Amino acid sequence: MKTRQDAWSHEDDVLLAETVLTHIKEGSTQLKAFDEVGDALNRTSAACGFRWNAVVRQKYLKQIDSAKRERKERKRALSASYFSQARIGKTESPSRTFYQTATGDGGAVTLESIIGQLKQLAQTEPASSRLELENKQLRAQLEEKTAKLNELETKLQRNKQEHSMIEEDYQSLISIMNRARRLAILEEDEQDHPAFRMDANGNLEKLSK
C-alpha cells in the first residue's frame, strides 16, 4: 500500500514532467506515465495525476506541444515507411519486417515494444486510408474544375470569333454608307439642284423642291 504523504520536491516534479513527455512522444498514455512515476516515488498513480494536472502541467505547455508534434512526425514517418515497403513489394517476410520495426536499432524485442508497434499501426493505417480517400476526392474535384475551365475557354474563343465577324460586318456597313453619302453629294453638285443635304449628325436628308 502506497501511503506516502510528504511534499513534492523540485526533483519529483522534474521526474514527473520528463516521464509524461516521454510517454507522449512515444504515443503512450499519461496514465502509464503516472504509474511509472508512482512506482519510482512510492506514490499512487492518482497522486501523480493530480500533481501533474494541478501544478506541473502549466509549466510545460510548450514542451507538451513539441512532444505531440514529435509523436505525429513519428507516426507519419512510420506510415510512409510502411506503405513504401508495401508498394515496393519486398520479398522480406512480414515477421522479419515487424521485428526490425519493433526493435528499432536491432535490439531485443520486448512485449512493450510489440504492443506499442501494434498500437501505432492501428492508429496510422486508418489515418492513411482517410488521407488516400481525401486525395482521391481532391483529384476528382480538380479534374471537374479543369473540365469546366476548358469548356469556358472554348466558349470564350467562340465568342471572340463571333465578335470579330460582327466587327467586320459593321465596318463593311459603315464603308457602304460612306460611299452612298459621297455619291449622293456628287449627284447634287452635278445637277446644281441638290436633292439631298447632310445634317449635323452626318445623315443625308432629302430636300423639298
Side-chain angles (χ1 to χ4, degrees):
M1 180 69 68
K2 298 178 181 178
T3 59
R4 184 170 177 173
Q5 299 294 331
D6 57 324
W8 285 76
S9 65
H10 175 70
E11 290 75 11
D12 294 342
D13 287 342
V14 171
L15 175 62
L16 175 61
E18 291 179 349
T19 304
V20 172
L21 292 174
T22 299
H23 278 260
I24 292 176
K25 292 177 183 179
E26 295 177 352
S28 182
T29 64
Q30 295 184 13
L31 293 178
K32 291 185 178 180
F34 299 153
D35 289 338
E36 182 178 335
V37 176
D39 292 339
L41 300 180
N42 193 30
R43 297 180 185 272
T44 63
S45 177
C48 296
F50 179 80
R51 181 67 179 180
W52 170 255
N53 291 315
V55 179
V56 181
R57 184 177 181 277
Q58 299 299 324
K59 300 178 182 179
Y60 290 86
L61 295 178
K62 293 183 178 180
Q63 291 86 338
I64 292 173
D65 291 338
S66 178
K68 290 180 178 179
R69 286 195 298 270
E70 183 174 342
R71 179 183 61 191
K72 290 182 180 179
E73 291 175 357
R74 286 185 178 183
K75 290 181 179 179
R76 189 180 298 110
L78 178 63
S79 176
S81 175
Y82 175 82
F83 285 101
S84 176
Q85 291 179 2
R87 286 193 298 269
I88 295 174
K90 290 185 176 180
T91 57
E92 196 173 35
S93 64
S95 59
R96 176 62 179 171
T97 302
F98 182 84
Y99 174 86
Q100 292 179 341
T101 306
T103 57
D105 58 355
V109 177
T110 63
L111 179 60
E112 183 178 356
S113 65
I114 294 176
I115 293 175
Q117 178 65 15
L118 290 174
K119 287 183 178 180
Q120 290 181 350
L121 288 175
Q123 293 174 352
T124 55
E125 288 184 2
S128 299
S129 299
R130 185 174 64 255
L131 290 175
E132 184 176 356
L133 177 60
E134 292 177 354
N135 187 29
K136 290 182 179 179
Q137 293 175 346
L138 289 175
R139 286 184 178 180
Q141 293 177 3
L142 179 60
E143 291 176 357
E144 181 180 358
K145 292 184 181 299
T146 301
K148 290 183 178 180
L149 182 61
N150 292 336
E151 182 180 355
L152 291 175
E153 182 68 22
T154 301
K155 290 182 178 179
L156 178 61
Q157 294 297 331
R158 188 182 303 117
N159 290 336
K160 286 183 178 180
Q161 292 176 357
E162 293 178 355
H163 180 269
S164 178
M165 294 174 61
I166 294 174
E167 181 68 21
E168 291 179 0
D169 292 341
Y170 174 76
Q171 294 298 333
S172 298
L173 180 60
I174 293 297
S175 178
I176 293 172
M177 292 178 62
N178 289 334
R179 287 199 300 269
R181 290 174 181 173
R182 287 195 296 269
L183 288 174
I185 293 173
L186 288 174
E187 289 178 357
E188 291 178 359
D189 292 340
E190 290 176 357
Q191 297 176 359
D192 291 329
H193 298 289
F196 297 89
R197 71 178 179 182
M198 185 177 297
D199 60 13
N201 296 323
N203 299 319
L204 293 176
E205 61 178 2
K206 188 175 181 180
L207 299 176
S208 60
K209 295 184 178 180

